[in-house]
């Protein structure tokens, strides 16, 4: 097994390994690499749904996603699907999964079953690298701030996006909860400081005027959206990618209209953030 950096900022590629046959020593090395790099990419995996679930369970309890359509017979598995006749994809903007939960999912494990002939790449960004690159004045300004996250605008009854995504999303009536998290989190496993706001689900900075809150969020987002903090994963069928939702953002590019893209995702339970 070899582990090498995927880019300077984020991610590592794990080669010559079958994730269904990891011994404890290999799994420990992979777990360490996950926390060191924020995301891992495995090529050429041959996973049944059962094997995908078994691999996920080595990381922790499964966090059942309540809004994505489930794979039939496997409530643990959320379908990430775009058909050739659909316009909107799932995850087609920068976000981190489940930040609207009080204890956001620690990680997501995405397995590629059908990939378009070109396009459909996923971008990843490092929240530790982006935090470290802030100037001291910004670090001081945001150090004690908290932000409110929510999901009604994405998954709720009134969401135009949900209506356009159609039956690929479910349980609109369960959307609407919000959660408050620090803007700068101390990573629960590594202690590293990282930014924890995202354009997908962060609604506002708590106890700040709306205009100032939006201006601050947009300034942080523009900083994070610089290419130097990113890795671009070009998918092949059989790829397994996994990322730490407390350490990264991701963005599924929607540039493959007329083709099918189908992946299976399992999320792992996390803890409350401090
Ligand atoms: C997601 O946001 O979980 C989907 C990512 C992808 O489809 O690449």
């Amino acid at each position: 097994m070899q582990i090498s950096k995927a880019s300077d900022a984020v991610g590592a590629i794990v080669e010559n390994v079958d994730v269904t046959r990891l011994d404890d020593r290999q799994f420990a090395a992979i777990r360490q690499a996950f926390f060191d790099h924020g995301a891992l990419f495995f090529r050429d995996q041959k996973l049944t749904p059962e094997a995908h679930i078994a691999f996920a369970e080595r990381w922790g309890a499964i966090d059942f996603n309540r809004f994505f359509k489930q794979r039939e017979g496997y409530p643990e598995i959320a379908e990430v699907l775009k058909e050739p006749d659909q316009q909107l994809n799932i995850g087609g903007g920068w976000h981190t999964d489940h930040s609207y939960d009080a204890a956001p999912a620690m990680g997501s494990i995405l397995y590629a079953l059908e990939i378009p002939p070109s396009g459909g790449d996923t971008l990843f960004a490092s929240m530790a690298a982006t935090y470290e690159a802030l100037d001291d004045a910004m670090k001081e300004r945001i150090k004690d701030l908290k932000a409110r996250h929510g999901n009604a605008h994405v998954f709720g009854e009134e969401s135009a996006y949900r209506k356009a995504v159609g039956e690929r999303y479910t349980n609109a009536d369960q959307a609407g909860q919000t959660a408050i998290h620090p803007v700068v989190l101390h990573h629960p496993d590594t202690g590293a400081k990282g930014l924890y706001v995202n354009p997908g689900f962060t609604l506002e900075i708590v106890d700040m005027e709306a205009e100032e809150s939006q201006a601050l969020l947009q300034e942080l987002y523009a900083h994070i959206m610089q290419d130097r903090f990113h890795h671009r994963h070009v998918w092949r069928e059989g790829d397994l990618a996994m990322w730490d939702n407390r350490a990264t953002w991701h963005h599924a590019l929607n540039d493959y209209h007329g083709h099918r893209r189908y992946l299976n995702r399992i999320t792992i339970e996390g803890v409350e953030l401090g």
Side-chain angles (χ1 to χ4, degrees):
M1 179 173 86
Q2 291 87 40
I3 301 177
S4 55
K5 280 175 106 170
S7 74
D8 283 344
V10 61
I13 299 163
V14 188
E15 291 172 289
N16 294 324
V17 72
D18 173 351
V19 301
T20 68
R21 300 168 66 88
L22 297 172
D23 62 31
D24 288 346
R25 188 185 50 81
Q26 287 173 313
F27 185 75
I30 286 172
R31 191 172 183 280
Q32 187 60 50
F34 179 70
F35 291 127
D36 288 346
H37 300 284
L40 298 177
F41 306 98
F42 305 85
R43 296 283 194 197
D44 302 319
Q45 302 301 307
K46 290 187 178 53
L47 295 187
T48 60
E50 289 78 6
H52 191 179
I53 293 166
F55 177 63
E57 284 175 335
R58 288 187 80 167
W59 294 84
I62 290 176
D63 182 334
F64 288 64
N65 185 291
R66 49 206 185 278
F67 302 117
F68 286 33
K69 187 163 177 262
Q70 297 165 353
R71 181 166 170 154
E72 199 175 341
Y74 300 96
E76 301 89 343
I77 297 179
E79 293 195 316
V80 176
L81 172 65
K82 185 179 169 217
E83 297 284 8
D85 62 347
Q86 292 174 327
Q87 292 303 308
L88 284 183
N89 67 338
I90 289 175
W94 282 112
H95 66 286
T96 188
D97 299 331
H98 296 210
S99 73
Y100 45 80
D101 284 335
M106 82 83 147
S108 302
I109 307 180
L110 186 64
Y111 180 55
L113 290 152
E114 287 183 57
I115 293 300
S118 66
D121 304 343
T122 305
L123 306 178
F124 293 86
S126 164
M127 294 303 106
T130 49
Y131 173 77
E132 284 310 323
L134 292 172
D135 62 32
D136 289 346
M138 180 60 94
K139 284 182 180 163
E140 184 61 24
R141 182 177 175 202
I142 64 177
K143 72 178 169 49
D144 295 321
L145 297 180
K146 293 187 186 300
R148 190 183 320 280
H149 302 245
N151 59 21
H153 60 291
V154 179
F155 301 119
E157 303 274 11
E158 300 309 318
S159 162
Y161 170 67
R162 182 195 64 77
K163 287 177 190 158
V165 163
E167 63 179 19
R168 288 174 289 162
Y169 281 161
T170 57
N171 296 327
D173 58 321
Q174 291 180 29
Q177 71 273 47
T178 63
I180 293 176
H181 304 296
V183 169
V184 179
L185 64 72
H186 292 83
H187 190 285
D189 291 287
T190 67
K193 284 186 183 177
L195 290 169
Y196 195 70
V197 286
N198 71 90
F201 299 114
T202 305
L203 304 176
E204 60 175 357
I205 307 287
V206 175
D207 293 333
M208 190 178 274
E209 290 298 322
E211 202 173 318
E212 189 186 353
S213 161
Q214 278 313 310
L216 176 55
L217 288 172
Q218 293 310 320
E219 186 175 346
L220 292 172
Y221 296 162
H223 171 73
I224 297 168
M225 285 180 196
Q226 296 175 78
D227 289 350
R228 65 188 167 116
F229 300 123
H230 302 167
H231 169 65
R232 182 182 188 120
H233 182 65
V234 181
W235 290 92
R236 296 199 306 237
E237 288 171 9
D239 281 359
L240 185 72
M242 59 182 298
W243 57 87
D244 183 337
N245 284 306
R246 296 84 45 90
T248 58
W249 280 3
H250 57 283
H251 176 184
L253 298 177
N254 187 16
D255 55 356
Y256 53 94
H257 298 308
H259 296 283
R260 191 169 202 262
R261 183 176 183 274
Y262 177 50
L263 302 94
N264 280 184
R265 195 183 85 182
I266 301 180
T267 39
I268 309 300
E269 277 184 7
V271 295
E272 287 193 23
L273 303 173

